[in-house]
Amino acid sequence: MHDDRTLTEERLDRALRERIRPAVHPRTVEMEFEVWHAPGEPVPFTEAVAAPYKPGAIGDDWGPAWGTSWFRVTGRVPRDWAGETVEAVIDLGFAKDRPGFSAEALAHRPDGSVVKALNPRNTWLRIGEPVAGGEEFTYFLEAAANPEILDGVSPLGDRATAGSEPLYRVERMDLAVFDQQVWELVQDLEVLDQLMRQLPLGSARRWEILRAVERCLDALDLDAVGASAPAARERLRAVLSSPAHSSAHRLSAVGHAHIDSAWLWPLRETVRKVARTTSNVVALMDDRPEFVFAMSQAQQLDWLREHQPALYARVKEKVAAGQFVPVGGMWVESDTNMPGSEALARQFVFGKRFFLEEFGVETQEVWLPDSFGYSAALPQLVKLSGSRWFLTQKISWNTTNPFPHHSFLWEGLDGTRVFTHFPPVDTYVAELSGEELAHAEENFRDKGHATRSLVPFGWGDGGGGPTREMLARAERLADLEGSPRVAIETPSDFFAAAEAEYDRPPVWLGELYLELHRGTYTSQARTKQGNRRSEHLLREAELWAATAAVRAGFPYPHEELDRIWKSVLLHQFHDILPGSSIAWVHREAEATYARIADELEAVIGAAQRALAGAPEGGGTVVFNSAPHGRAGIAAGGAAPAVQDHDERPAVEVAEHGSGFRLDNGVLRVTVDGRGLVVSVVDLVTGRETVAPGRAANLLQVHPDLPNRWDAWDVDAFYRNTVTDLTEADVVRRSGDGVEVVRSFGSSRVTQLLTLRPGARRLDIDTEVDWHEQEKFLKAAFPIDVRADHSTAETQFGHVQRPTHTNTSWEAAKFEICAHRFLHVGEPGWGAALINDSTYGHDVTRTVREDGSTTTTVRLSLLRAPRYPDPATDQGVHRLRYALLPGATIGDAVREGWSFGLPERRVPGSAEVAPLVSVDGDAVVVTAVKLADDGSGDVVVRLHEAHGGRVSARLTAGFALAGASVTDLLERPLAGERAEVDGDAVLLGLRPFQIVTLRLTPHHEA
């Protein structure tokens, strides 16, 4: 038999492109429309409907970047179309291959009710089914001119630089007959064509499909596609009804629309994207009762509730019907590397509570397909939030090591395990194509142990969601020979079945490190500083407001704190906190953080004044919000400032050669004439910290042009070229420290190096006026220590990572994330770097000629990527970090907290006992607050921070009527009880265990 396969495949391609797809809408008439270009920001429907519209025509330009144009579309159904299904087909200039990234519109009826959205892959509005003929209609289209910012350096990322030129042109405004049979024929042929091309050439099934397609095309009259479509479809019936093999992979298809809460668009545009996507989804559900759609990010549904209450009511109806499924259990799809301990816990608190209160749904799946790596703290938080399962997709982007599992148990820092799935389809925006399904089946790494995986389908990133074409594919692929079986299911149905069939799944211990997007630990420093500062201020506000509420009847600001928390959590979204959004997003974030700081400072100040009492003789009360005592003041307490002379040795600053020497009796630091730290002697042990012949606090500049994603990535080759900043403009004494000024490129850095009396810490206060492009600024500390691993603070504990590169897994971790500290050590001695807002670090090791080892720890201070924000981090930054020689892990924990939570001094004379106190440094209290339910109970969250088992006693600073162990949502935790001893709770904690206690004060009758 001759091989005519290519001939038939090409015949099918052309027939679909030129004859069959166009025949889906065989008869058209042009609709009339008028347009009003809204000035400035988007306006509500009530304002738009009353605006002065002007006549429009096909070919009209519209939409300067970020503008909104309202189209009033009117039409009359021809009377001779009676009995037909009729649709409006609208193209506002869509980029056909970029759903969610270009022009989009939301259609409203004249009464303001929402119909559905229009985007590049969803261009229709149903007018009637069937029509009577002669119907008149009007729609108002709220069209967003969102620029495409998908490549290269562009000024379009901010209204201030985007210009006023229109971006789009009206291409089509037609009223059209919809031919259902032709549309079904298109779906039949596309499914079979995609399946056929994935089958082996030697497969009999491939040739059966080819011959059936050939017979179908023979039966199709290309001049009368509609009339001949039923007969053509009949020729395909046999191959479409042949069942799948019994061993075929099972795919649980979950409707989804990944919507970045901000990225290449600002937050205000996401509010509208959510409305557009959910309107499409609920409209599709009306037509297809089997359709199930999962949506994460409580914030997005809260936006819908606020801005589109009628549409939100429809969503609630679909939730009750089981079609619209809330998932995720988090406020947003957060970054999980950089949020602090309490912030990551609150992502679950606010997300889960929203779904419970609004929908009565206890979400079970944590849904984070697109975040840039996953903290080892997550499994414990998942379980403590009341969830059972975890889903991610992004690890498929690893550039070095393919992840070895698709279904597995993920074990966190403390030993908690959660069943985790990583969809082998390798995308969270699937369209259920033959190529995707074949890849999912072939790629699935748990064959022989498990039979099923999940595929999230629907256009995403910019939203859009599933389409009627995707549902048609799912219907045909439910049981089709040669394909995996596809069943539209809820995520919980999938997880329950997948967990039940996998008796002994493999275990992955520790973080899920993404071998990509490592630059996100550093990009947009102001955003990261705003986040860290907000986290600390929220801790202080809750602590002092709760203390003042119990002690002085202070009105605890529940609503204000909730509102602020939600704003902070929103800005931890995985394209905001990582610094990978457009300029508009980060400009707004900086302003938001400044406003939050003002609001929280007001709360803290009011609570502390309520506690401090009247100042007697100009007295001052010192408040300590750190979780450890310091300077004689208990953690979470306050005391009048001591006026006695400080008995600790003063800090000596003396000239030393061409530089200076600082000495506080604990450390002796030598700064040479270049302004570099060439010696740091730990006077307690007599040990030198800096490796021989090396200099610490060495600023280094690397070129930084990654291969693909500028703001996201640093590629390993950046290390091949480095410029050490060893020339100084100024090295001089400044008060009790040494000031160093350097100029380089177009930038300038000023540093103040200081020791505090009695402190085992060299503080380095750095101001950088940064005007470089595509450069990477690091601060290097070569430590004379043989460390085979580094220890980095993460949420509720720390994670150890090898410093060697024995395998490709270690080599891939050439840039790592740490919170307040990064520690390196050997038995008996170690050193730590602590910081106030830096997350990116790297650690390398070399063996010197004498056989000793130098372990170099570097902080990643600033980057200068140009995409998607061409002016990333330009301007002045203040960064604080410190070197802590002779430090244990416990020292690093203590100093890390102290560094970011300075003492506060308030006029007054009172002594304030802590609301709660814990014996022993190993237990760290991360939150003290009043219960969210307004009961007046005190909620305390704490964890073991050193990595060992510990027994501790938590004492309440008030009469205790009762105590309970709760989950993150402050609900009693099944199987756990608090052991109460008077006004104390006795605790036994495993390494890194998190405990939330609810303490009920005794109220006198």
Side-chain angles (χ1 to χ4, degrees):
M1 196 69 172
H2 298 298
D3 183 354
D4 57 354
R5 171 177 53 85
T6 303
L7 184 69
T8 300
E9 290 172 354
E10 291 179 351
R11 178 189 179 191
L12 173 59
D13 283 346
R14 184 173 185 184
L16 277 169
R17 183 175 65 252
E18 297 184 10
R19 294 291 192 273
I20 307 174
R21 291 194 189 102
V24 170
H25 293 109
R27 287 179 283 169
T28 64
V29 294
E30 197 169 295
M31 298 182 294
E32 295 182 353
F33 70 93
E34 301 166 290
V35 64
W36 173 64
H37 304 293
E41 286 296 284
V43 301
F45 176 82
T46 52
E47 183 176 336
V49 74
Y53 286 76
K54 294 181 179 180
I58 300 300
D60 282 356
D61 293 332
W62 69 278
W66 307 115
T68 300
S69 294
W70 284 81
F71 294 86
R72 182 163 59 198
V73 181
T74 58
R76 180 193 296 271
V77 177
R79 293 194 179 279
D80 61 352
W81 288 6
E84 302 281 10
T85 298
V86 176
E87 295 180 341
V89 183
I90 298 169
D91 185 344
L92 297 175
F94 301 130
K96 304 300 186 291
D97 62 337
R98 303 200 192 275
F101 288 88
S102 71
E104 300 172 85
L106 183 63
H108 303 256
R109 300 180 184 88
D111 64 1
S113 59
V114 169
V115 185
K116 64 181 289 291
L118 301 166
N119 63 50
R121 302 292 179 89
N122 201 329
T123 61
W124 56 274
L125 294 172
R126 183 62 55 88
I127 303 298
E129 181 186 9
V131 295
E135 294 98 326
E136 296 182 351
F137 58 86
T138 299
Y139 291 107
F140 288 85
L141 309 181
E142 181 189 12
N146 297 332
E148 294 185 48
I149 314 173
L150 286 166
D151 250 327
V153 179
S154 170
L156 294 173
D158 201 329
R159 290 198 79 147
T161 57
S164 58
E165 291 300 311
L167 300 180
Y168 297 105
R169 177 172 296 171
V170 180
E171 301 288 349
R172 185 177 184 182
M173 285 275 189
D174 284 346
L175 191 64
V177 169
F178 175 77
D179 191 318
Q180 183 74 36
Q181 281 296 316
V182 175
W183 184 84
E184 297 286 1
L185 176 61
V186 171
Q187 312 316 311
D188 292 344
L189 287 171
E190 286 186 345
V191 165
L192 289 171
D193 181 36
Q194 292 172 8
L195 172 60
M196 175 179 67
R197 292 173 190 263
Q198 297 304 312
L199 294 170
L201 282 177
S203 163
R205 175 66 169 163
R206 178 165 183 158
W207 290 90
E208 287 171 1
I209 294 173
L210 185 79
R211 295 307 169 208
V213 168
E214 185 177 52
R215 290 191 296 272
C216 167
L217 295 176
D218 289 343
L220 190 68
D221 184 346
L222 296 180
D223 295 320
V225 173
S228 57
R233 292 193 69 204
E234 185 62 32
R235 302 288 180 93
L236 301 175
R237 183 185 299 276
V239 289
L240 282 169
S241 59
S242 181
H245 296 302
S246 59
S247 61
H249 187 65
R250 297 177 182 272
L251 281 168
S252 295
V254 178
H256 184 48
H258 181 67
I259 306 176
D260 286 315
S261 288
W263 178 29
L264 303 180
W265 46 85
L267 290 169
R268 66 91 152 143
E269 194 54 35
T270 314
V271 173
R272 302 201 294 177
K273 284 178 176 291
V274 169
R276 291 192 284 260
T277 295
T278 52
S279 68
N280 281 344
V281 167
V282 295
L284 204 52
M285 288 174 177
D286 289 340
D287 296 334
R288 304 294 291 263
E290 79 282 5
F291 173 42
V292 171
F293 177 82
M295 186 168 177
S296 65
Q297 305 194 73
Q299 169 70 87
Q300 295 187 358
L301 288 162
D302 196 34
W303 280 331
L304 193 69
R305 181 183 60 83
E306 178 183 355
H307 295 279
Q308 295 285 353
L311 181 55
Y312 184 68
R314 294 175 65 195
V315 167
K316 293 191 78 169
E317 291 173 0
K318 298 302 183 183
V319 172
Q323 286 185 274
F324 197 112
V325 183
V327 294
M330 297 176 74
W331 189 246
V332 294
E333 287 185 12
S334 152
D335 177 79
T336 75
N337 290 307
M338 291 174 284
S341 300
E342 196 57 31
L344 195 55
R346 300 296 176 96
Q347 287 285 353
F348 291 96
V349 170
F350 283 92
K352 294 274 291 193
R353 182 168 291 140
F354 181 88
F355 292 140
L356 278 166
E357 292 177 351
E358 289 293 315
F359 306 117
V361 172
E362 174 89 37
T363 54
Q364 295 292 294
E365 318 84 4
V366 175
W367 187 276
L368 282 175
D370 189 32
S371 296
F372 309 148
Y374 304 92
S375 161
L378 275 170
Q380 187 176 190
L381 292 173
V382 170
K383 184 174 181 181
L384 288 174
S385 74
S387 294
R388 295 176 56 190
W389 303 304
F390 186 85
L391 178 137
T392 178
Q393 179 66 69
K394 199 71 170 187
I395 303 300
S396 67
W397 289 41
N398 274 6
T399 55
T400 305
N401 299 284
F403 196 76
H405 317 300
H406 283 109
S407 290
F408 58 99
L409 292 177
W410 182 18
E411 183 177 327
L413 283 175
D414 71 312
T416 298
R417 294 179 174 182
V418 295
F419 187 78
T420 298
H421 184 65
F422 170 25
V425 69
D426 284 349
T427 180
Y428 45 83
V429 290
E431 53 183 307
L432 300 182
S433 69
E435 182 180 5
E436 289 169 342
L437 303 193
H439 176 74
E441 182 167 34
E442 180 180 356
N443 188 42
F444 187 55
R445 294 190 177 92
D446 300 290
K447 297 182 183 77
H449 299 285
T451 65
R452 62 185 72 231
S453 66
L454 185 147
V455 52
F457 72 95
W459 300 118
D461 285 331
T467 63
R468 59 187 180 184
E469 289 78 14
M470 294 177 192
L471 294 181
R473 287 182 202 135
E475 181 181 6
R476 287 160 174 78
L477 294 165
D479 191 12
L480 184 62
E481 183 185 353
S483 170
R485 286 189 174 91
V486 175
I488 294 178
E489 293 182 318
T490 66
S492 59
D493 286 342
F494 161 75
F495 271 107
E499 189 175 28
E501 76 169 358
Y502 211 160
D503 288 339
R504 289 182 292 173
V507 176
W508 182 270
L509 172 64
E511 66 181 332
L512 295 173
Y513 178 92
L514 178 63
E515 296 173 354
L516 192 71
H517 292 357
R518 305 166 183 90
T520 58
Y521 309 146
T522 307
S523 297
Q524 299 286 1
R526 293 183 187 90
T527 299
K528 291 171 170 59
Q529 283 186 320
N531 173 73
R532 182 79 69 86
R533 184 184 184 197
S534 297
E535 290 177 345
H536 284 162
L537 289 173
L538 277 163
R539 170 192 175 86
E540 291 187 85
E542 289 183 337
L543 169 65
W544 300 124
T547 303
V550 173
R551 295 279 165 69
F554 181 79
Y556 190 83
H558 283 283
E559 293 184 3
E560 185 177 5
L561 290 173
D562 276 6
R563 173 179 53 78
I564 294 171
W565 262 117
K566 289 174 181 177
S567 186
V568 171
L569 298 178
L570 165 60
H571 286 82
Q572 292 176 343
F573 177 74
H574 66 251
D575 274 310
I576 303 180
L577 181 54
S580 47
S581 287
I582 57 174
W584 189 340
V585 173
H586 293 288
R587 171 172 53 79
E588 285 192 335
E590 188 174 354
T592 298
Y593 285 131
R595 184 178 66 253
I596 285 171
D598 289 343
E599 293 172 337
L600 290 173
E601 289 286 2
V603 172
I604 294 165
Q608 289 182 335
R609 287 191 296 273
L611 290 165
E616 296 178 1
T620 300
V621 176
V622 181
F623 286 80
N624 175 22
S625 58
H628 307 91
R630 57 183 170 186
I633 303 172
V642 177
Q643 303 298 323
D644 295 339
H645 176 70
D646 193 335
E647 297 180 358
R648 294 175 297 181
V651 178
E652 295 181 2
V653 182
E655 292 186 6
H656 182 78
S658 58
F660 295 89
R661 175 168 285 170
L662 293 80
D663 192 323
N664 67 352
V666 181
L667 294 180
R668 186 172 63 238
V669 178
T670 304
V671 180
D672 71 6
R674 302 170 299 170
L676 300 176
V677 177
V678 293
S679 173
V680 180
V681 177
D682 175 0
L683 297 176
V684 176
T685 64
R687 179 157 176 166
E688 173 63 62
T689 305
V690 181
R694 302 288 299 277
N697 192 38
L698 172 65
L699 298 178
Q700 298 179 300
V701 179
H702 296 271
D704 183 20
L705 185 65
N707 288 344
R708 289 199 61 195
W709 298 89
D710 289 15
W712 290 260
D713 291 346
V714 288
D715 290 334
F717 55 74
Y718 87 87
R719 291 179 171 181
N720 297 347
T721 306
V722 62
T723 300
D724 293 343
L725 303 183
T726 58
E727 299 296 323
D729 303 339
V730 175
V731 180
R732 64 188 171 204
R733 177 171 180 169
S734 178
D736 288 336
V738 176
E739 183 184 50
V740 181
V741 181
R742 304 183 193 280
S743 300
F744 58 97
S746 301
S747 303
R748 180 181 174 91
V749 58
T750 302
Q751 294 190 304
L752 182 64
L753 286 67
T754 56
L755 294 177
R756 292 182 298 112
R760 200 172 185 169
R761 196 177 84 193
L762 172 63
D763 290 356
I764 302 167
D765 195 324
T766 301
E767 182 178 278
V768 186
D769 190 5
W770 180 244
H771 296 284
E772 306 307 300
Q773 295 282 359
E774 296 170 343
K775 295 292 189 292
F776 198 3
L777 179 64
K778 292 259 188 177
F781 289 80
I783 310 298
D784 189 10
V785 66
R786 180 173 177 79
D788 60 4
H789 66 267
S790 65
T791 302
E793 185 190 36
T794 189
Q795 300 91 356
F796 298 103
H798 53 256
V799 60
Q800 293 183 340
R801 302 180 179 100
T803 58
H804 59 74
T805 55
N806 282 359
T807 73
S808 58
W809 291 92
E810 287 94 27
K813 295 182 180 180
F814 59 82
E815 183 79 3
I816 57 176
C817 184
H819 286 201
R820 297 177 185 85
F821 72 82
L822 184 69
H823 180 275
V824 291
E826 60 192 25
W829 194 88
L833 280 177
I834 60 177
N835 70 83
D836 73 341
S837 58
T838 296
Y839 295 93
H841 296 74
D842 73 271
V843 183
T844 54
R845 57 193 296 278
T846 57
V847 175
R848 307 192 295 268
E849 288 185 3
D850 65 358
S852 298
T853 301
T854 300
T855 302
T856 301
V857 180
R858 298 198 301 170
L859 296 95
S860 304
L861 300 182
L862 291 168
R863 297 185 66 220
R866 301 184 67 202
Y867 174 78
D869 175 5
T872 300
D873 278 331
Q874 300 300 295
V876 177
H877 303 266
R878 185 185 176 196
L879 308 163
R880 294 173 56 246
Y881 51 91
L883 174 66
L884 192 65
T888 64
I889 297 296
D891 294 330
V893 171
R894 172 189 286 270
E895 291 296 326
W897 278 102
S898 176
F899 196 63
L901 290 165
E903 299 165 340
R904 290 179 179 267
R905 306 177 80 86
V906 178
S909 57
E911 182 160 344
V912 182
L915 200 57
V916 296
S917 58
V918 183
D919 60 345
D921 280 359
V923 177
V924 168
V925 173
T926 61
V928 178
K929 58 188 287 292
L930 293 194
D932 290 341
D933 61 6
S935 63
D937 287 356
V938 175
V939 171
V940 182
R941 188 146 33 245
L942 51 84
H943 72 285
E944 194 288 319
H946 293 180
R949 291 186 179 273
V950 65
S951 296
R953 182 183 183 91
L954 180 138
T955 303
F958 50 87
L960 189 62
S964 61
V965 180
T966 75
D967 65 7
L968 297 181
L969 276 71
E970 302 168 14
R971 304 173 296 191
L973 195 60
E976 299 285 344
R977 59 178 292 272
E979 186 178 349
V980 177
D981 179 17
D983 290 334
V985 179
L986 305 182
L987 300 166
L989 284 78
R990 64 180 179 271
F992 306 126
Q993 182 180 359
I994 304 166
V995 173
T996 304
L997 294 172
R998 184 173 183 135
L999 310 177
T1000 302
H1002 179 76
H1003 299 288
E1004 293 185 8

